[in-house]
Amino acid sequence: MKKKKIVNGLHTFYIVLVYLFFYAPVAVMVVFSFNTSKANVSWQGFTTSWYTRLMGDSELWGVFGTTLLIAALTTIFATIIGTMGAIGYRQAKSKFAKLITNTIYFPIVIPEIVLAVALYMIFNQSGIGLGVTVITIGNATLCLPYVYITVKSRLVGMDPSIEEASLDLGADRVYTLLHVIVPQILPGILSGAFMSFSLALDELIITSFLADAGTNTLPMKVYSMMKKGISPEINALTTLIFAFSMGMLLLYFLVQGIRTFRTWRKRHRVRDL
């Protein structure tokens, strides 16, 4: 019993350390967004003025808007290409299918700086101008494997007889894809899309290499402020982003809970009948 209590205590202590490691920096960021000090180093008092200034900072909102645009476009391209690639290579029997599938993991394995330099050289040699479009393509290249992996994992668990039944009943490939396959793998698609959006939102290395003089994103602006000190306005903005992300996550859990409850209630009614 003593050994069991010691082990349980160590498990609890370990879990607390993990949560502190992940969320202590976020808590500090949120707290210092209400700090009166511009230096953002020591606590001097409580204020909400930084949120007021943030609402009137058109330059910062412009930078954030560009960041959201790039993240949204990256998510769309990476999700579509990654999903179609996972579906297309699911049953491929070509000699090069396995090779192509394995090379998709390269953007995850190789260092990001290598990928950034390679993309810069390709676009520079081809004469394509740098900017939002090129940044989107570069970020989509980075995010594509994550979508492919999550969708592929859902396809592995999908019952192939459902697709076969749809085709046997007269449905064509497009109808089967949109009304049978996609609904089955939708959780994997959404997971890959959320992951792509998060990666593209805070991408710095690839974006820095592929941005032109007129393009600036939030990670680039924060990094450029490191020497002079990060303004509490950035803390306020990142706090709002964190709050929005947590709100969307709670909404997702709420929707999933409602669906689970409705499914359980339907099964319970069927059993009663």
Side-chain angles (χ1 to χ4, degrees):
M1 292 297 294
K2 289 183 179 180
K3 290 182 179 180
K4 189 175 181 179
K5 289 182 179 180
I6 293 174
V7 172
N8 291 335
L10 290 175
H11 286 172
T12 304
F13 179 70
Y14 176 76
I15 293 173
V16 171
L17 285 180
V18 170
Y19 273 90
L20 284 176
F21 179 79
F22 281 116
Y23 293 107
V26 178
V28 172
M29 176 197 69
V30 174
V31 170
F32 273 78
S33 68
F34 298 97
N35 188 15
T36 56
S37 174
K38 292 183 178 181
N40 209 10
V41 176
S42 59
W43 179 263
Q44 294 186 359
F46 180 86
T47 183
T48 58
S49 61
W50 300 114
Y51 288 89
T52 305
R53 294 186 183 184
L54 174 64
M55 297 304 170
D57 193 339
S58 58
E59 180 183 357
L60 184 57
W61 283 112
V63 172
F64 184 58
T66 302
T67 307
L68 286 180
L69 175 63
I70 294 174
L73 293 176
T74 300
T75 302
I76 294 172
F77 292 146
T79 302
I80 294 175
I81 298 174
T83 301
M84 299 306 296
I87 296 174
Y89 283 103
R90 177 184 46 161
Q91 298 176 345
K93 298 180 180 180
S94 173
K95 296 180 180 179
F96 299 100
K98 188 175 182 180
L99 176 62
I100 295 174
T101 301
N102 292 333
T103 54
I104 292 178
Y105 297 96
F106 281 1
I108 300 177
V109 177
I110 63 176
E112 205 169 315
I113 184 68
V114 176
L115 180 61
V117 173
L119 290 170
Y120 173 78
M121 293 178 63
I122 290 173
F123 291 120
N124 190 35
Q125 292 295 326
S126 61
I128 301 176
L130 304 179
V132 174
T133 302
V134 174
I135 295 173
T136 301
I137 297 174
N139 287 344
T141 304
L142 177 66
C143 299
L144 178 61
Y146 296 94
V147 179
Y148 179 86
I149 292 172
T150 55
V151 174
K152 185 179 179 181
S153 63
R154 294 291 302 185
L155 286 169
V156 171
M158 190 182 75
D159 188 0
S161 63
I162 300 176
E163 181 181 357
E164 295 173 359
S166 175
L167 295 174
D168 291 340
L169 292 173
D172 56 14
R173 292 285 181 179
V174 176
Y175 184 90
T176 302
L177 173 64
L178 297 178
H179 295 85
V180 178
I181 298 178
V182 171
Q184 292 290 324
I185 63 175
L186 187 58
I189 297 175
L190 293 177
S191 298
F194 289 148
M195 193 176 300
S196 298
F197 186 81
S198 299
L199 289 172
L201 192 65
D202 63 358
E203 174 55 41
L204 175 62
I205 299 177
I206 294 178
T207 303
S208 299
F209 272 82
L210 302 181
D212 58 1
T215 304
N216 194 14
T217 63
L218 184 62
M220 293 174 61
K221 184 173 181 60
V222 173
Y223 183 75
S224 65
M225 296 172 63
M226 290 294 294
K227 295 181 180 179
K228 297 180 180 180
I230 299 177
S231 171
E233 284 187 39
I234 301 297
N235 287 3
L237 179 58
T238 50
T239 299
L240 293 178
I241 296 173
F242 176 75
F244 177 77
S245 302
M246 290 296 101
M248 294 299 294
L249 185 62
L250 292 175
L251 180 62
Y252 173 78
F253 286 144
L254 179 61
V255 172
Q256 288 296 109
I258 293 175
R259 288 180 178 177
T260 303
F261 176 74
R262 288 178 177 176
T263 303
W264 174 85
R265 188 170 60 179
K266 288 180 180 179
R267 291 178 179 177
H268 188 70
R269 288 179 178 177
V270 171
R271 290 177 182 177
D272 292 340
L273 294 175

